[in-house]
Amino acid sequence: DAGVIQSPRHEVTEMGQEVTLRCKPISGHNSLFWYRQTMMRGLELLIYFNNNVPIDDSGMPEDRFSAKMPNASFSTLKIQPSEPRDSAVYFCASSFLAGGYNEQFFGPGTRLTVL
Amino acid sequence: GESVGLHLPTLSVQEGDNSIINCAYSNSASDYFIWYKQESGKGPQFIIDIRSNMDKRQGQRVTVLLNKTVKHLSLQIAATQPGDSAVYFCAERADYGGSQGNLIFGKGTKLSVKP
């Protein structure tokens, strides 16, 4: 398995532009997580889906952020409009939730820079 | 293993020595814990996990100890190698209800291995 795949790996954009981050979870996993990592705040959960349904989006900073999971093999995180304070590394992780252990597998991340 | 703001606690060890990384977790109801390792420029990688009905679990060169009385988790790395240099995160699962799978991550501890 290729693991969790994220694209793009790096994104540089200007303030006010729309940014879309993409994630392909591990095949067979039923949960998907979006995280943001910064030096100041560490690793923060933004939203997670179970069976393609958003379960907890309380970590989404504001209405400029939105996430979708149209099917079990694809998810997007969109920022519109982007602001410099959104600069961070965004990770996608997937997991198979069925009781007991639920290790999350992380992708390589997307480093976003908003100028 | 906690930190505030920009500064991660740092543990510096000599190659070949044993390392112990500590973590205080917040929720006495947490039932599952994971240690992750994050190398520079990569996503967090699973190291080892433990359920709350255990107090010790061993892997290859790593051991996790759980003390529920004081809500403390530790990761022991035997014969530390330069490749172990990374930031280590503990994570707890505080709410398991079938469809819940949220992990709460600590701020991280940076391990630096001197050759």
Side-chain angles (χ1 to χ4, degrees):
Chain A
D1 198 317
V4 176
I5 299 172
Q6 290 187 246
S7 64
R9 293 294 310 276
H10 302 273
E11 176 82 26
V12 180
T13 190
E14 292 187 343
M15 182 173 64
Q17 296 298 306
E18 177 180 298
V19 175
T20 300
L21 311 181
R22 297 173 176 80
C23 176
K24 179 179 176 10
I26 292 172
S27 177
H29 283 186
N30 60 1
S31 292
L32 183 141
F33 305 78
W34 281 102
Y35 290 89
R36 176 171 68 177
Q37 188 176 42
T38 60
M39 285 295 294
M40 283 299 295
R41 302 173 70 92
L43 199 59
E44 302 174 277
L45 177 70
L46 300 177
I47 184 171
Y48 82 94
F49 296 84
N50 184 249
N51 293 321
N52 311 338
V53 176
I55 301 298
D56 183 356
D57 65 354
S58 59
M60 296 286 263
E62 48 198 273
D63 292 345
R64 296 185 298 106
F65 286 69
S66 62
K68 294 181 180 179
M69 191 165 187
N71 57 61
S73 59
F74 184 67
S75 177
T76 59
L77 177 68
K78 186 176 291 186
I79 308 172
Q80 166 62 23
S82 58
E83 297 182 2
R85 61 194 169 118
D86 302 329
S87 297
V89 181
Y90 290 81
F91 289 104
C92 176
S94 71
S95 177
F96 181 69
L97 293 184
Y101 301 96
N102 66 329
E103 170 194 351
Q104 293 180 19
F105 295 81
F106 282 76
T110 295
R111 180 173 293 278
L112 173 64
T113 303
V114 184
L115 304 174
Chain B
E2 298 300 322
S3 68
V4 175
L6 291 171
H7 301 289
L8 288 177
T10 299
L11 175 65
S12 185
V13 300
Q14 201 70 37
E15 181 178 358
D17 287 352
N18 297 333
S19 304
I20 299 177
I21 301 171
N22 297 303
C23 178
Y25 64 93
S26 57
N27 192 330
S28 57
S30 293
D31 66 344
Y32 176 60
F33 305 87
I34 306 179
W35 279 100
Y36 281 91
K37 171 186 179 183
Q38 186 176 23
E39 297 174 280
S40 180
K42 297 183 179 179
Q45 293 177 285
F46 172 88
I47 301 174
I48 191 169
D49 56 9
I50 188 169
R51 298 183 72 174
S52 59
N53 61 354
M54 304 170 68
D55 53 21
K56 180 179 181 179
R57 192 161 191 236
Q58 288 184 293
Q60 187 177 16
R61 281 202 308 119
V62 294
T63 300
V64 56
L65 298 177
L66 175 63
N67 185 331
K68 295 181 288 292
T69 302
V70 295
K71 294 189 288 186
H72 184 268
L73 197 65
S74 70
L75 177 70
Q76 301 178 358
I77 305 173
T80 313
Q81 302 168 0
D84 295 327
S85 295
V87 176
Y88 290 80
F89 295 92
C90 64
E92 62 183 297
R93 181 179 68 192
D95 182 12
Y96 179 70
S99 62
Q100 302 292 333
N102 191 11
L103 292 177
I104 300 169
F105 283 80
K107 297 293 185 187
T109 295
K110 183 176 180 180
L111 176 65
S112 178
V113 182
K114 296 175 287 187

